[in-house]
Amino acid sequence: MRDAAASLDTKVPDPPRNLGLLVDMINMEPKSYRPLPFLESLSIKHAYFPWPDGEINNSMPVKAPMLRYISRRLQKTPVSTTNTTKTTLSPLDLPEILELIFSYLDNYTTRRSAVLVCRQWHILNQNRLVREVTWNQDWKPSRKERALRKLPGAGRLYICHLGNGSHFIQDALVALLVLESEYLKQLRQGGSASAVNDNSDSSNKRTSTSTTSPTLYNFTPLRELVLYTAFCHETFIDSFPIPSSLTRLTIKVGYSHHAECDLSKILSRCPLLEYFCADTFGTSGIRFQLSQFDSTTTPRLPLRSLVLHNAAISQFELEALLRLTPDLKELKLMAMLRYEGEPYNWTWLFTFLKSINIILDKAHFSSLGLKMSAKETEKLLVDIYPYLSSERSLWTLDVTPQLLQTITSQPNTLTTLEVMWKATTNFAPKTCCYVSLAQAPELIHQYLCHSPYFAHLTTLKTTLRMEDMDLFGRSGYIHLDRGHDAILPNNENVSSTPPGPPQIWRCRGLRTLHIEVHAPGQFRLQHPVHSRIVFGYVARVCPLVEDLQISFPKDCQSGTDGHQYRIFPCLQLEGGLCLLGRLRYLQRLRIIYDTGCFVTSGCKEWDMNWMVASGRNSSQSRRKRQKEIESWRFWRLGEDRAEVIRSQTRQHSLETDGEGLNAIDTDILRKLQNLGLLMDVEEMMKEMEGTKGVQPMPLLEKLSFTYPIMLRPEEELERLFPSIFEKLRQI
């Protein structure tokens, strides 16, 4: 259904028109259009429809013939008396029909269009929209206070704690305690039972009925909490007032200083919790323990997802917890640390999971710095991974051609692929190009370009080498802005052997793309051309992506001379960030340079404010961007000179590059001919600021540049480039 919606969006990209199309279709005459032609069963509550052969019990599911009957009833018929006013019924008068229509709309259309039509449409869509609140320690006190005032009734809360103690977020802690008191009060009073006691779905979806009298704003308990803390001390998590109404809890830690967490306290405090995730980015992970659980007396837990990344937990206690979670469907233990020096026995854990009849839909098992044995890998594929699963989560050290062939040989369609990695040591500085990790990115790239099983991917999270995206070998154009000649990689300027045809990913329908860019070998120097290659490749090859995250490791090791080299994402105008403006369906964008580092150093406001309407409409910003482009004249001449030299040595052109490719790949390759060149940036800026007035990223809702939390684009740019007035207020 998601693919069908995507195809509709492709034809009619404006979301409000999508909604109007559905309304027009449902109001057409029955002779010209039959509504919901593929609906096989329908349940309509609190409604009575006479049937030609008798009556229908309201509790009986209504089959497809009911649709034909409704169509006949909707036809205009003569009234029996002249005193009766002739009316025409509409399917849009039935809340059940509206609920069915709304279920086909995407979140953007629902939030920006459907809820604004009328009061009824707003109430019916309350169960689909989760109001979220963001609280950040860096904000001014007045802004933090405004955020906390919005907390009652919110469904999701983001807390960004950048300090090293709980006193930095005292006001947020007090607000959570007040919210918890209100939630317990609602439980005692028994009011709003559907809103307070709804624990059947972690996405906060509630079904309204005609017997209730819904209000415009019901009390909604907090269901999801995302807590980011830069520095986590020993007892910070245990002392944090986690609300008992949560169904989803995510804890992200930058650096853990011997932090310990009693997981049993969290699960006891949150009886509705279905999803728990703990992720540590720093050099040491969180140590979990279970002190309050007795598998013989503790009731079953509703936990359905458990994700631990770079953490430590006793295997004995983990198995005791798994006995209490019979509904568990997702278990990911990624880059796990040794618990008191003891490694994990994956073979024993897989056997245990099978013995207690836990069947997982999503799974990942890996130990930091260790590779699974052949026996463990075989048992994982046979006993743990479901046969028809459409998702695979792999550990980089385990990725081999044999493993990929085993996965793709199964008769399923992969839609989600996650290749997770972490350095094989806990000691800084972190490195990402060890010999043991070098094979996986190349293998994954080859399979993305050639395997038909990877063509159906909608979610991809992996590491990639920049040289695989550099289709035309332009990564050496690093000194042309200084009037120097280009450094051509792999001695291409003297090689007589032409390179092979460019290889492009086959997964055109990617919706979520999280990649980390490696820069080994000849990519030792950072330059805007590297960013232009990455941004330009993604913008052309993945046109449907909605959630994009591109991260650059702080240190790269070439693996040849042992030295470490850094590559920085360039977000200035010459870095080609504007090339991502071609992504018309992009909703979330995050650019990361390692952890806690800023990628916007040296950027000016006019380099990036084209992402919001105020920046595109600013004549002053447009003039500055145009002046910057004009200053590239000698730079462009250097690129042209380098292209002439390379065209003589490569000995093949677009026609030979496209040999063996289908029509779609050939068209994409034609659009990629300027990949890495300043010409590509110039053309994009002309499209945005010329007579065409192309709006870049028209659906962008969340934006982040190495920030722990994502903000609205206007808020993120305001944080990066505060106005003179704001600067004076902060003095």
Side-chain angles (χ1 to χ4, degrees):
M1 185 59 65
R2 183 178 177 86
D3 294 336
S7 63
L8 179 59
D9 288 342
T10 304
K11 298 178 180 179
V12 190
D14 189 8
R17 290 181 59 191
N18 295 345
L19 179 60
L21 178 62
L22 289 174
V23 174
D24 293 341
M25 291 167 58
I26 202 66
N27 281 321
M28 293 177 66
E29 289 296 329
K31 293 182 179 180
S32 60
Y33 182 82
R34 182 164 62 90
L36 310 176
F38 299 102
L39 189 64
E40 297 181 355
S41 64
L42 175 67
S43 177
I44 302 179
K45 299 180 180 179
H46 309 291
Y48 178 83
F49 294 92
W51 193 260
D53 298 329
E55 296 181 352
I56 299 180
N57 192 311
N58 287 336
S59 62
M60 181 183 300
V62 183
K63 301 299 181 181
M66 172 60 77
L67 297 176
R68 295 192 295 270
Y69 176 72
I70 293 177
S71 299
R72 293 196 300 269
R73 293 278 294 177
L74 294 180
Q75 296 182 15
K76 297 180 180 180
T77 56
V79 296
S80 56
T81 62
T82 57
N83 296 330
T84 303
T85 303
K86 182 172 64 174
T87 60
T88 302
L89 299 178
S90 170
L92 297 182
D93 294 331
L94 298 175
E96 290 78 6
I97 298 296
L98 284 174
E99 289 277 6
L100 184 60
I101 295 175
F102 292 150
S103 66
Y104 286 89
L105 300 182
D106 59 90
N107 292 334
Y108 183 90
T109 304
T110 303
R111 182 171 57 258
R112 297 296 180 91
S113 301
V115 298
L116 304 178
V117 173
C118 62
R119 180 187 180 93
Q120 181 191 23
W121 286 33
H122 178 89
I123 293 175
L124 292 177
N125 280 289
Q126 279 193 31
N127 59 346
R128 292 182 176 84
L129 299 179
V130 179
R131 186 165 63 86
E132 62 182 39
V133 174
T134 299
W135 185 95
N136 180 25
Q137 179 187 320
D138 277 355
W139 288 346
K140 300 186 298 294
S142 59
R143 185 173 182 182
K144 291 191 288 188
E145 183 180 355
R146 289 197 304 269
L148 294 179
R149 284 201 299 263
K150 300 177 183 178
L151 186 55
R156 183 183 299 117
L157 172 63
Y158 294 91
I159 294 182
C160 180
H161 173 224
L162 302 178
N164 196 16
S166 59
H167 62 279
F168 288 97
I169 56 172
Q170 193 62 38
D171 51 349
L173 300 181
V174 172
L176 286 176
L177 292 174
V178 173
L179 190 68
E180 176 70 5
S181 176
E182 178 64 22
Y183 172 67
L184 296 178
K185 178 182 177 181
Q186 292 286 336
L187 286 180
R188 288 193 298 268
Q189 293 178 353
S192 302
S194 62
V196 178
N197 296 326
D198 177 35
N199 60 354
S200 60
D201 192 349
S202 60
S203 61
N204 296 337
K205 292 186 177 181
R206 301 185 301 273
T207 304
S208 59
T209 61
S210 59
T211 59
T212 61
S213 179
T215 59
L216 191 59
Y217 297 104
N218 292 326
F219 172 79
T220 303
L222 188 66
R223 292 304 190 191
E224 182 175 355
L225 173 63
V226 179
L227 171 63
Y228 176 85
T229 175
F231 304 95
C232 184
H233 56 78
E234 290 84 353
T235 60
F236 175 77
I237 299 178
D238 284 342
S239 61
F240 194 88
I242 300 175
S244 60
S245 60
L246 294 183
T247 59
R248 297 177 64 90
L249 174 60
T250 302
I251 300 175
K252 295 181 177 294
V253 178
Y255 298 96
S256 173
H257 299 283
H258 308 287
E260 294 187 358
C261 176
D262 194 338
L263 186 55
S264 60
K265 291 183 179 180
I266 295 178
L267 297 176
S268 300
R269 188 186 307 165
C270 306
L272 308 179
L273 196 64
E274 298 180 0
Y275 175 89
F276 178 77
C277 173
D279 192 352
T280 307
F281 302 99
T283 57
S284 61
I286 304 176
R287 178 187 173 102
F288 288 95
Q289 59 182 354
L290 301 172
S291 63
Q292 300 180 355
F293 277 165
D294 183 357
S295 58
T296 60
T297 59
T298 305
R300 292 183 174 182
L301 302 172
L303 197 66
R304 299 179 63 86
S305 176
L306 177 62
V307 180
L308 301 179
H309 179 202
N310 195 23
I313 186 173
S314 167
Q315 184 164 342
F316 175 78
E317 293 184 335
L318 175 63
E319 293 175 0
L321 173 62
L322 294 177
R323 291 182 184 275
L324 304 175
T325 57
D327 298 328
L328 193 70
K329 294 300 180 183
E330 179 181 19
L331 178 59
K332 292 185 177 180
L333 308 175
M334 303 181 291
M336 297 297 289
L337 306 175
R338 292 172 180 262
Y339 188 88
E340 297 183 352
E342 292 294 329
Y344 291 91
N345 189 334
W346 298 125
T347 303
W348 176 265
L349 181 61
F350 300 157
T351 304
F352 173 77
L353 289 173
K354 189 174 182 180
S355 65
I356 59 177
N357 297 322
I358 288 185
I359 301 177
L360 299 174
D361 294 335
K362 303 177 182 179
H364 182 106
F365 303 93
S366 58
S367 298
L368 185 62
L370 297 179
K371 180 180 180 180
M372 274 194 184
S373 64
K375 181 180 179 181
E376 290 175 330
T377 303
E378 180 181 1
K379 195 168 185 62
L380 172 67
L381 296 176
V382 174
D383 294 343
I384 301 300
Y385 274 142
Y387 188 61
L388 298 178
S389 175
S390 61
E391 176 173 328
R392 287 291 183 267
S393 181
L394 309 177
W395 178 235
T396 304
L397 293 177
D398 297 329
V399 173
T400 61
Q402 294 77 14
L403 177 63
L404 294 178
Q405 290 176 4
T406 302
I407 292 175
T408 56
S409 63
Q410 297 180 0
N412 63 347
T413 300
L414 281 177
T415 59
T416 299
L417 177 63
E418 178 185 30
V419 183
M420 185 266 175
W421 80 276
K422 189 173 177 62
T424 55
T425 177
N426 265 348
F427 300 100
K430 289 183 284 185
T431 54
C432 64
C433 296
Y434 285 103
V435 176
S436 58
L437 300 176
Q439 183 182 18
E442 181 180 2
L443 285 175
I444 294 299
H445 175 74
Q446 293 296 328
Y447 271 80
L448 289 173
C449 294
H450 300 292
S451 175
Y453 300 97
F454 283 14
H456 305 283
L457 289 178
T458 57
T459 299
L460 176 62
K461 301 178 181 181
T462 185
T463 57
L464 295 171
R465 304 182 307 171
M466 184 175 294
E467 60 190 39
D468 293 328
M469 292 182 280
D470 184 23
L471 302 181
F472 306 104
R474 292 171 178 145
S475 60
Y477 292 6
I478 57 178
H479 293 313
L480 299 182
D481 56 332
R482 305 173 190 175
H484 297 171
D485 292 333
I487 299 176
L488 305 181
N490 298 327
N491 295 324
E492 185 180 323
N493 52 337
V494 297
S495 175
S496 59
T497 304
Q503 298 180 358
I504 308 174
W505 296 349
R506 300 185 61 181
C507 43
R508 301 281 178 265
L510 281 177
R511 301 298 194 277
T512 299
L513 177 62
H514 294 183
I515 58 175
E516 183 170 86
V517 181
H518 287 224
Q522 65 270 21
F523 298 92
R524 296 178 179 177
L525 298 177
Q526 182 275 335
H527 195 267
V529 65
H530 299 155
S531 298
R532 292 198 298 270
I533 291 173
V534 176
F535 298 147
Y537 185 91
V538 172
R540 291 297 192 185
V541 179
C542 309
L544 301 181
V545 69
E546 300 171 358
D547 184 352
L548 176 61
Q549 175 175 303
I550 303 177
S551 59
F552 297 81
K554 183 177 180 180
D555 297 290
C556 272
Q557 181 171 319
S558 64
T560 56
D561 55 8
H563 290 86
Q564 294 168 354
Y565 303 93
R566 293 187 175 186
I567 175 170
F568 304 85
C570 178
L571 301 186
Q572 298 174 352
L573 193 62
E574 62 266 22
L577 179 64
C578 62
L579 300 176
L580 296 180
R582 296 190 174 108
L583 300 175
R584 296 192 54 78
Y585 304 98
L586 187 64
Q587 300 177 15
R588 299 168 63 89
L589 173 62
R590 185 194 296 270
I591 308 294
I592 303 176
Y593 169 57
D594 200 65
T595 303
C597 301
F598 295 95
V599 298
T600 55
S601 176
C603 291
K604 301 177 179 60
E605 184 177 3
W606 49 266
D607 280 320
M608 306 175 65
N609 64 1
W610 50 265
M611 306 177 74
V612 295
S614 59
R616 292 189 297 272
N617 298 332
S618 172
S619 58
Q620 183 180 7
S621 296
R622 290 200 304 269
R623 286 195 301 269
K624 290 182 178 180
R625 286 192 289 265
Q626 184 60 36
K627 184 177 180 181
E628 175 68 15
I629 292 176
E630 292 174 356
S631 68
W632 298 344
R633 184 164 58 92
F634 292 103
W635 197 347
R636 282 285 313 276
L637 292 176
E639 284 187 344
D640 295 340
R641 185 173 62 254
E643 283 293 291
V644 171
I645 297 174
R646 294 182 71 254
S647 64
Q648 297 173 355
T649 59
R650 292 182 66 203
Q651 299 179 359
H652 64 283
S653 60
L654 174 62
E655 288 74 16
T656 58
D657 284 346
E659 290 181 358
L661 301 178
N662 55 37
I664 297 178
D665 290 344
T666 303
D667 181 64
I668 293 178
L669 183 61
R670 178 183 58 80
K671 294 178 180 179
L672 284 169
Q673 285 302 297
N674 294 327
L675 181 66
L677 299 178
L678 288 171
M679 184 186 301
D680 205 9
V681 179
E682 292 185 26
E683 291 178 352
M684 186 62 198
M685 294 307 301
K686 289 179 181 178
E687 293 178 9
M688 290 193 302
E689 300 182 354
T691 56
K692 297 181 180 179
V694 177
Q695 180 181 356
M697 307 179 195
L699 305 184
L700 186 65
E701 298 180 352
K702 295 293 183 179
L703 180 65
S704 175
F705 295 103
T706 69
Y707 214 50
I709 55 178
M710 303 193 75
L711 304 174
R712 293 189 299 110
E714 296 82 2
E715 294 177 341
E716 179 70 352
L717 293 179
E718 181 183 354
R719 182 187 68 86
L720 296 175
F721 310 103
S723 62
I724 298 178
F725 178 73
E726 290 294 333
K727 292 180 181 179
L728 293 176
R729 291 183 59 181
Q730 296 174 2
I731 296 178

